[in-house]
Amino acid sequence: LTVSSSESIKLIDEQPEMLKLLNDKIDLLHSCLVDCQREPGGKYPLHEMFVPYPNENSPIMHIYCELDQQDRNEARKALDKLVEICENDGVAIVQAAYLWDVEVLQSRRPSIRLTISTGLSDDEIRHACDVIRRNSVRIGRQYENMFSTLYEMTDEEDDCSSTPDGNQPSLPKEPR
């Protein structure tokens, strides 16, 4: 670790323009995922279920799933699905890996970790962001449909729970 840090500092001293280039790539990633609005031609921002969390001047950005507020396992499934669909579209992203059973990490939220580098072209970054945004909308809509179906089923159960005369059925008496 010390050697890689030392070599990184040496590289920055020898090629200070690399740091400027990296910062430009970071800004591009942020503008593509964080500041993005719906664009002409049908390009969407990230679905509201997925929330980017940029760290200023950091080449690492996390995307969290809001389902985590209710169900961490479901959030991890949604993130896994986003990773899988993006990979099928030629964009490799990864879910951040943690030792979930370690007490210290219990407060960690599941996320996708994006890492930017100077080796990526601006077009590659834009394309990756387009793929991530498009697929986030696809998954978000699937969850919206799933939840609306669950609510409809709950409403139907509520409708079925009343008696033919419209009264609520009486509850069985407690055993003595």
Side-chain angles (χ1 to χ4, degrees):
L1 190 59
T2 305
V3 173
S4 70
S5 297
S6 175
E7 287 300 311
S8 297
I9 291 171
K10 182 179 172 185
L11 182 62
I12 290 170
D13 285 342
E14 291 173 359
Q15 299 176 355
E17 68 278 358
M18 293 293 282
L19 200 52
K20 166 81 169 93
L21 179 61
L22 180 60
N23 281 324
D24 291 345
K25 304 283 183 188
I26 293 167
D27 290 344
L28 178 59
L29 177 67
H30 289 196
S31 69
C32 285
L33 286 180
V34 179
D35 305 328
C36 178
Q37 300 298 317
R38 174 124 192 237
E39 300 172 13
K43 293 184 179 177
Y44 290 89
L46 278 173
H47 189 275
E48 62 193 22
M49 186 170 96
F50 298 99
V51 179
Y53 187 81
N55 293 309
E56 193 171 335
N57 298 324
S58 172
I60 297 171
M61 177 190 295
H62 287 265
I63 298 175
Y64 297 99
C65 180
E66 284 302 301
L67 292 176
D68 179 48
Q69 301 304 316
Q70 294 86 29
D71 185 344
R72 176 173 279 180
N73 287 331
E74 198 59 44
R76 289 168 64 187
K77 287 178 190 175
L79 292 168
D80 281 340
K81 190 176 281 194
L82 182 57
V83 167
E84 179 183 342
I85 293 173
C86 287
E87 185 176 311
N88 291 339
D89 284 347
V91 174
I93 58 177
V94 296
Q95 193 169 155
Y98 302 106
L99 300 172
W100 293 108
D101 296 333
V102 176
E103 185 177 324
V104 177
L105 295 177
Q106 289 299 313
S107 63
R108 291 272 188 181
R109 295 177 63 192
S111 67
I112 289 172
R113 188 181 73 210
L114 304 176
T115 305
I116 204 77
S117 77
T118 58
L120 295 169
S121 72
D122 289 358
D123 287 341
E124 289 171 327
I125 294 169
R126 283 188 200 95
H127 173 73
C129 290
D130 288 346
V131 169
I132 293 167
R133 290 190 322 243
R134 181 183 66 239
N135 289 323
S136 77
V137 171
R138 288 174 60 194
I139 293 167
R141 287 180 180 165
Q142 288 174 0
Y143 274 88
E144 288 169 1
N145 291 337
M146 182 175 69
F147 290 137
S148 69
T149 302
L150 286 174
Y151 290 132
E152 288 170 10
M153 288 171 54
T154 303
D155 288 345
E156 289 172 8
E157 288 173 5
D158 289 345
D159 292 343
C160 295
S161 64
S162 50
T163 59
D165 62 1
N167 295 324
Q168 292 295 323
S170 60
L171 295 173
K173 294 183 179 181
E174 288 185 26
R176 293 183 189 194

